[in-house]
Amino acid sequence: MTADAHHGEHVFPTWTLGDRIRKTRAVSGLDQRGFADALGVKPGSLAGWETDRQRPRDVVALAKRIEMITRVPAEWVLGLRDGPDEGDSSPLTGSNRRPLAYKASALPLS
């Protein structure tokens, strides 16, 4: 998380892509190795993304894979959405926080 949004005397933290990937993994209940396996990537790649030292080649495809595994909206992972819209049942709330039982890497990205 960075703190680059300043308004007067207040500082508003902003979430990086790495913060959002790490938070999504934590909500899924998977450790880094399990989440990397579910995504079909190396644990070292995931670690680099979570710390913002590296960026995935195709961020949108990664966000879609994450959504398929965790049901966390790709728009949230990408930073395009902050939370549920009114009347939306978001996977970030409630008790439905377990990942789905399939590997996203086996699914087509198109």
Side-chain angles (χ1 to χ4, degrees), residues 59-70:
V59 177
V60 174
L62 175 67
K64 288 179 180 180
R65 282 184 175 179
I66 289 172
E67 181 174 4
M68 287 187 299
I69 294 166
T70 64

Side-chain angles (χ1 to χ4, degrees), residues 13-32:
T14 55
W15 290 65
T16 66
L17 176 62
D19 294 328
R20 289 174 182 269
I21 293 171
R22 189 175 53 257
K23 179 68 172 174
T24 303
R25 177 178 57 79
V27 167
S28 77
L30 294 171
D31 63 10
Q32 218 170 36

